[in-house]
Structure formats: C-alpha cells, structure tokens
Amino acid sequence: MNEIILEIKHLKKYYGKTVGVEDISLKLNKGDIYGFIGPNGAGKSTTIRCIIGLINITNGDIFFNGKKIDKDDTSIKEKIGYLPSEINLYEDLTIKELFDYHALFYKKDLSKRRKELSKLLKIDESKRIDDLSLGNLKKVGIVLSLMHEPELLILDEPTSGLDPIMQSVFHNILLEEQKKGTTILYSSHVLSEVSSLCNKIGFIKNGIIIKEDTIENINKNDYNYLTISSSDIEKIKKELNLTIKEENNNTAKFISDIEINTLLKILSKYNIEKLLIENISLEDLFEEYYK
Amino acid sequence: MIKREFKVNYKSFIIWTLVLIIMFLVVFLIYPFIITDDTVKNLDEMMKVFPPELLKAFNMDISSINSAYGWLKTEGFMFVLLIVGFYSSILGNNVLLKEESDKTIEYLISLPIKRNKILTNKIIVSITYIVLMVLAIGIFNYIALLFSGDFNQKQYILLSITPILIAFPMFSLNLFISSFLHKTKKTIGISLGLVFFFYLLSVLSELSSKIEFIKYFSIYTLSDTRNVITNININPINILISIGISIFFIILTYVNYNKKELL
C-alpha cells in the first residue's frame, strides 16, 4: 500500500466573502510529483499557503504523514521545503549569510547538500541578495527549499525566471529527489514541464479540483472529444455525465475520459446517427477546462 | 534569529539615540555661554509673563531654565519623552510588520519556527533597544552634568528612568495595533499621531483643573516628571500601571498574531 505523505480533505478558504478555495481534496503518495494545474486565481497558491500555515483554513483538514498539520508544528515544518512563486528574501544579506541563517533553524548539518546544490545551480554565495536577478533569486530559493532534504517539497511556479538550461538542471534535481523518495507538489501552468515531470495531475478551477488523473492515463489518450448525434441525446448526456463542450439540437460534443470499449457498449443501447472520436492533448485538455 | 533582529534594528536605534545625544551635546556646550547674569534676569522676567498653568504644564514653575540642569528637567526631558516615545512607537509598529511589508514573512513562516518565538524574539530585541536608548541618553547627560555644575544625583537618576514608563506601553500598544495591519506604509502616521495625542492630553490636563481628568487617558501621565522633580521618587502605582498596560497589549498581540492571516 502506498504511503500517503500529504492529504488534503475538503479544504475551504474564504477571504471574507471572497472564495479563495471552495473544496480541495487530494492525496500525494510517497515519491509522487503531483502537478497542480490551474490558471491565475484558481486557488493554487491559496491551497499552498494553507499548507504552509500563512493563512487560516476556513474548513477542512490537511494531514502530513497522517498527522494533522498545525501551522506552528515545527517538527512538520522541518520536513517541508517551500519555494514560493514570488521570492522575497532578506536583501541586506549575502547568499552565504542567508544560507548560514537558514541552516540555524534545522537540527542537522545542511552543509553537504547546500554545497551540492550551489554547485549544480552555479550559485556565487558571495553576492548580495539585493543584487540578484529574478532567475538567480529563484536559484537561491531552490537551494533554500531543498538544502534540508525535505520529505515534502512544495513548489509554486518554480521555473518562472529560470533560463532553459537551469530549468533542465532543476528538473533533473527534482527527478533525483523523487528517486530518493521526496514527494513533490508542483504548482504550474507550464503544461510541457508538468507532463514531463509529474506522475499525477490535478486541474483546479474556481477553487475546486475539476479533474484528477495520472499522467499515464492522460498520455494513453483516454481523453477524447466525443461528438454524438442522436435522438436520444438527453438520455446519453445523463448516462455519460461528461463535460459538454458544445451542444446543438440533437448533437453534443463531450470531453470524454471513458475507455472506448466501455463507451461503445453504453452507446450501443441508443440510436446513434453520428459518432466522432478525436484525441485531446494535455494542452487541449487544459484549454477545455479553463475556457 | 535574535542576532539578526539586533542587526536589523541597530541602525534606527543608533540614529534616534544620536539625535538626542547630539541635541543635548549642543545644549550643554552652548548653555554656559548664553546663561549670564543678564539672561537669567531676563528669563525670570519672561517667565512672569506666562500664565502659571502653562508654566506648570512644562514644569517651569518648579524648575528654572537658568541652568543646564534646570533646562534638562523641563524642556530637556520633554524632548527625551517625546523622542523615546516616537522611537518606541515606530519600533512597535515596524518590528513585526516589516516582515509582512517586505514579504519576507512567507520565507520566515516556512521555516521550523513557531509564531510565538518570532514574536518573542522581536519583543526582546525591541525592549533591549528601548532600555539601551534610555540608558545611553541617561549616561551621556549624567557625564555632561558632572561638568556643568551642581545637580541632584538621585533626582536626575529617577528622572532619566521615567521615559521607560511611557516607552514600554507605547511600544506594546503600537505592536498590538500593528498585529491588525499588513503594510508599514501608514504606520508612521499612527506612531507619531499617538505620541502627539497622548502628550497633548497630558499637557492639556495640567492647564485647568476642570479637564484634569483627561490625564487618565494619556500614557504620558505615567512619566509624572513633576512628582519626580518635587518629591524625588517615582510613584509605584505608575510603575505598576506601565507594566500592566505593557503586559496587557503584549498578551493581546500574541493572541492576535497567532490568528493573523499573513498575506
């Protein structure tokens, strides 16, 4: 049985009357890289901020290793690494001073991993934080999130600002981490990196996970555009219970994740005038969900 | 973390302390030259023109400004009280809020440290700097007074402690207010406004017995320099109220900060 590292149960977060997150439930098993996909304002960062303890949860629970996360539980925080989308660090410090300061909060020696990461990401520790470009700041953030060898790594738009070479280095670091058993929550809207890195994907829209699946299933092309013309279209719509992309008289275009044989079995009960099945790529799927 | 807090707040401590020390240095250097027999006579004449209530408000009815120590006991300590008040207020408003305003709170909160510990470290550093400021000014003036002539040592030592009675409550009140805010932009107005407001209440309460009651609404009443000058003691009730107000607002800050949304 897979060991669940992070579990979110019916997370709800309201800012006054404004919805931040409506209802998020997800599970990350040990070694998962979970792609948390959604457009700006969908609730990705709000969910992450609830996990980190920056903001209070309106309803629901978050568990780490089966233990309910309390925002002040330092034993849990020791095992979590966090890279925010917008990094703000102490500008009066050099990178070396910041890394030294960071290490003070952990009960173990972080020097070895710090050296490895600094070397991989080509970081000059003598530079001051306020002199760094966005990309270099991101690299410092990556080291800070990883140097204590966390069990759970939370990354919010981690590659924004990184050049393609560094993105590739970073992805390799993440795959190495995954091999070691690190669980990663990877929030992004760059679909190419999500599809190449993650083994699970959750689509979030208006604070709700509207679709969750393994990348294996998505790549198997179980996702199709399904156009059906039938006099029984209302009954078919009811039975299939799929997202409808377009509708016109007796014709409906669905986004389907039903396996073809199963689908044909269902449809054989009805009078079908026209049937068209087209593949959907991850990009198309994203566009469909967020139209 | 506490070491970093000391480093971060070091500059403003030095600047505010130097402002007061330079001001007093200038006064102590020029006072012997401006105080001659003629000026003392003129000053005494001038004081007779002022209404007694006004003189009372600035302790000028019980102390003459015709010596450096006399000036220190009246106008001098008014500046000390105001500037220590400003410093404490600004520190109270900024010490926590700066992390949010600079958005470094996101990094800090992700570290394995409790919110209470963050707050405690910041309070310890702030209180240390407030005490150091009062001490630095007290010691500087003490040395300057040794060169300037006679002064009542006990009276002076007690007087130099009085700013702490207003500084801690001002700090804790502002700290509490800051626990509701997210940006430091507007806090300078709140800090300075509160100091002026409380100081004004304290001065106005001396002007007429009819409005004397308003002194109970001012933190500045706790300094009670008038009692220190005349009776050479600090009213223990003022010490207790000062500690009480400080603890009250600090406890409320802990409660509020633990619930705060760090946006």
Side-chain angles (χ1 to χ4, degrees), chain A residues 13 56 71 77 82 102, chain B residues 106-107 109 258-259 261:
Chain A
K13 172 65 194 172
N56 302 318
K71 64 184 174 190
K77 283 186 176 181
Y82 173 50
H102 187 85
Chain B
E106 200 167 11
Y107 164 69
I109 284 290
N258 274 294
K259 290 190 217 156
E261 305 259 39

Side-chain angles (χ1 to χ4, degrees), chain A residues 13-15 49 52-57 70-75 77-78 80 82 84-93 97-98 101-102 104-106 144 156, chain B residues 1-5 7-8 11 98-118 121-122 256-263:
Chain A
K13 172 65 194 172
Y14 274 64
Y15 299 101
R49 283 159 169 251
I52 298 300
L54 276 160
I55 51 177
N56 302 318
I57 294 168
D70 172 80
K71 64 184 174 190
D72 249 4
D73 193 332
T74 53
S75 66
K77 283 186 176 181
E78 270 177 15
I80 297 179
Y82 173 50
S85 57
E86 209 182 296
I87 303 177
N88 294 285
L89 301 166
Y90 300 122
E91 294 188 341
D92 56 310
L93 300 180
E97 286 169 339
L98 182 66
Y101 176 72
H102 187 85
L104 293 174
F105 292 87
Y106 296 88
L144 291 173
D156 195 0
Chain B
M1 188 198 170
I2 205 157
K3 199 175 154 193
R4 170 161 175 77
E5 288 302 326
K7 195 182 160 194
V8 169
K11 269 188 197 166
K98 197 176 181 315
E99 298 274 4
E100 276 180 82
S101 208
D102 293 350
K103 295 181 178 172
T104 49
I105 192 70
E106 200 167 11
Y107 164 69
L108 186 60
I109 284 290
S110 73
L111 296 168
I113 182 167
K114 290 181 189 290
R115 286 193 187 197
N116 280 351
K117 181 99 186 275
I118 294 173
N121 284 345
K122 288 182 185 282
N256 201 38
Y257 193 63
N258 274 294
K259 290 190 217 156
K260 193 179 186 187
E261 305 259 39
L262 301 168
L263 302 171

Side-chain angles (χ1 to χ4, degrees), chain B residues 78-110:
Chain B
M78 178 189 80
F79 285 119
V80 175
L81 290 172
L82 281 174
I83 289 181
V84 170
F86 287 146
Y87 176 68
S88 309
S89 291
I90 292 169
L91 196 59
N93 253 316
N94 279 352
V95 74
L96 264 182
L97 216 50
K98 197 176 181 315
E99 298 274 4
E100 276 180 82
S101 208
D102 293 350
K103 295 181 178 172
T104 49
I105 192 70
E106 200 167 11
Y107 164 69
L108 186 60
I109 284 290
S110 73

Side-chain angles (χ1 to χ4, degrees), chain B residues 32-140:
Chain B
F33 298 103
I34 56 170
I35 295 298
T36 59
D37 289 346
D38 281 348
T39 49
V40 168
K41 203 177 161 190
N42 288 340
L43 277 171
D44 289 343
E45 287 298 316
M46 196 173 75
M47 289 302 145
K48 285 175 191 164
V49 179
F50 287 118
E53 291 83 4
L54 192 68
L55 293 175
K56 191 183 164 199
F58 294 97
N59 291 336
M60 286 180 183
D61 58 332
I62 51 171
S63 181
S64 167
I65 57 169
N66 58 21
S67 71
Y69 184 51
W71 178 83
L72 192 68
K73 284 192 287 184
T74 55
E75 289 175 26
F77 261 90
M78 178 189 80
F79 285 119
V80 175
L81 290 172
L82 281 174
I83 289 181
V84 170
F86 287 146
Y87 176 68
S88 309
S89 291
I90 292 169
L91 196 59
N93 253 316
N94 279 352
V95 74
L96 264 182
L97 216 50
K98 197 176 181 315
E99 298 274 4
E100 276 180 82
S101 208
D102 293 350
K103 295 181 178 172
T104 49
I105 192 70
E106 200 167 11
Y107 164 69
L108 186 60
I109 284 290
S110 73
L111 296 168
I113 182 167
K114 290 181 189 290
R115 286 193 187 197
N116 280 351
K117 181 99 186 275
I118 294 173
L119 188 51
T120 304
N121 284 345
K122 288 182 185 282
I123 291 171
I124 290 171
V125 170
S126 304
I127 286 178
T128 307
Y129 273 135
I130 290 169
V131 171
L132 281 177
M133 185 185 200
V134 171
L135 270 179
I137 294 157
I139 292 168
F140 174 82

